[in-house]
Amino acid sequence: MSNRKKSALIARVLALCLAAAVLSGCSKSPATNQVTTDPTQPVQTAPAASGSLAQVETEGSLQSWELNASVWSSSNGATVTLNAQPRTYEKGQGASFVVRLEGKEVENVSCTWNGSYYTASVDLEAADGYEYECVLFPPQGVGEHYTLSDAYDSLVYMKRSLDAYCNLYISDFKDADGKFTVTAGWASVQLPQLTTAGTEIGFQKAQLVFSLNGETVETQDVTLPQGEGKGSYESSLSNISFTMPKMDDDYQLDLTLVVTLTNGEELTANGGSWFYNNGELKMAAG
């Protein structure tokens, strides 16, 4: 074989090797995008329609999920919907949405696969102590159980979350110089954490009502700044004085917190009752 033919053959072989190397490099699988979360940031509950589920699992077959609640018009229950996104989906795979109340199973429904998420809905009456769970079933093998309750206190304590309530606690007082004075106490308001769609309920004002035998003697407005939780307002009480009325031994004093909401609803909480015994003002037990 001539030197020219040998050179041409060698050049062809080198070209084929270079092409094979390039093709081999292009055939590698692309890197998988890893979902990460910053534990210092608050979890956002984005709606499922946005395509970004709020709660992210760091391991297992479930990638992300969220729970949504639609409160009934009667406000005595809600429809709770699960949207769960698996890391991968294959034919024969399934999921179920399980709800327990104080440890007893009350709902167990199969999820529907919509091409992106598993979805399921259950109707739950107002109660406290619900537990929520998603179970993923592979085509073969044992199902994987995921607890969903930890991120949704408002759905765990649904009855409490549907109601508004207030509290008044008087820990110390004094009766001197014609005045009844609260020297230490606490007042708080909790607005509903779950409401019907389009309904906004706000805190308008709070008053302490000092009464004798059911008749109002004096009232005082109290300022309750917003607390740590959603819809929470609270404050300590000290050096709040009322004019002391004339008392007989069979008379009774009461101090009540009256809260007005923006929808006109009034909440009340009794902080204590007092009576005279041998000339000394005593707080009624209980």
Side-chain angles (χ1 to χ4, degrees), residues 50-124:
S50 70
S52 176
L53 296 181
Q55 312 300 325
V56 178
E57 294 289 339
T58 57
E59 59 184 16
S61 300
L62 183 63
Q63 177 173 304
S64 55
W65 53 270
E66 73 169 358
L67 296 176
N68 287 312
S70 177
V71 178
W72 301 342
S73 58
S74 58
S75 296
N76 62 353
T79 300
V80 179
T81 300
L82 166 69
N83 292 277
Q85 183 180 31
R87 297 191 188 278
T88 59
Y89 177 80
E90 57 182 312
K91 187 177 181 180
Q93 182 176 302
S96 64
F97 185 28
V98 181
V99 182
R100 298 181 180 86
L101 180 58
E102 297 180 347
K104 182 180 179 181
E105 186 175 293
V106 293
E107 294 286 350
N108 189 334
V109 298
S110 297
C111 296
T112 300
W113 175 250
N114 67 5
S116 299
Y117 311 118
Y118 284 113
T119 66
S121 296
V122 293
D123 292 332
L124 300 175

Side-chain angles (χ1 to χ4, degrees), residues 4-264:
R4 180 178 297 176
K5 290 183 177 180
K6 288 181 178 179
S7 297
L9 180 60
I10 291 172
R12 289 180 181 178
V13 170
L14 290 174
L16 289 172
C17 290
L18 180 60
V22 172
L23 290 173
S24 175
C26 293
S27 67
K28 292 181 180 179
S29 300
T32 303
N33 292 328
Q34 297 295 322
V35 178
T36 61
T37 57
D38 182 351
T40 66
Q41 297 299 316
V43 175
Q44 301 297 320
T45 54
S50 70
S52 176
L53 296 181
Q55 312 300 325
V56 178
E57 294 289 339
T58 57
E59 59 184 16
S61 300
L62 183 63
Q63 177 173 304
S64 55
W65 53 270
E66 73 169 358
L67 296 176
N68 287 312
S70 177
V71 178
W72 301 342
S73 58
S74 58
S75 296
N76 62 353
T79 300
V80 179
T81 300
L82 166 69
N83 292 277
Q85 183 180 31
R87 297 191 188 278
T88 59
Y89 177 80
E90 57 182 312
K91 187 177 181 180
Q93 182 176 302
S96 64
F97 185 28
V98 181
V99 182
R100 298 181 180 86
L101 180 58
E102 297 180 347
K104 182 180 179 181
E105 186 175 293
V106 293
E107 294 286 350
N108 189 334
V109 298
S110 297
C111 296
T112 300
W113 175 250
N114 67 5
S116 299
Y117 311 118
Y118 284 113
T119 66
S121 296
V122 293
D123 292 332
L124 300 175
E125 294 184 353
D128 292 333
Y130 281 115
E131 301 170 28
Y132 303 88
E133 183 181 67
C134 178
V135 186
L136 288 184
F137 299 100
Q140 294 181 344
V142 181
E144 297 180 21
H145 295 249
Y146 296 88
T147 299
L148 313 179
S149 308
D150 296 343
Y152 292 94
D153 283 349
S154 60
L155 296 183
V156 173
Y157 304 102
M158 183 183 293
K159 181 176 176 57
R160 186 188 309 172
S161 300
L162 289 167
D163 294 331
Y165 55 90
C166 63
N167 291 299
L168 177 62
Y169 174 67
I170 306 301
S171 57
D172 199 10
F173 68 95
K174 68 179 181 179
D175 171 24
D177 303 323
K179 296 287 187 180
F180 174 90
T181 303
V182 175
T183 56
W186 188 264
S188 64
V189 178
Q190 177 61 59
L191 301 181
Q193 297 184 59
L194 295 175
T195 58
T196 54
T199 301
E200 292 291 338
I201 299 175
F203 165 56
Q204 186 169 323
K205 67 176 182 178
Q207 282 188 324
L208 290 176
V209 179
F210 191 53
S211 59
L212 174 65
N213 295 339
E215 297 292 331
T216 299
V217 174
E218 191 177 347
T219 65
Q220 287 200 34
D221 292 340
V222 290
T223 300
L224 301 181
Q226 190 163 357
E228 295 182 1
K230 177 183 177 183
S232 172
Y233 298 83
E234 55 192 27
S235 178
S236 59
L237 304 175
S238 63
N239 297 321
I240 300 177
S241 296
F242 300 89
T243 301
M244 192 69 183
K246 293 182 179 180
M247 291 280 291
D248 287 338
D249 285 351
D250 59 345
Y251 285 7
Q252 178 177 308
L253 289 170
D254 290 283
L255 188 60
T256 305
L257 176 66
V258 179
V259 173
T260 305
L261 305 182
T262 53
N263 64 352

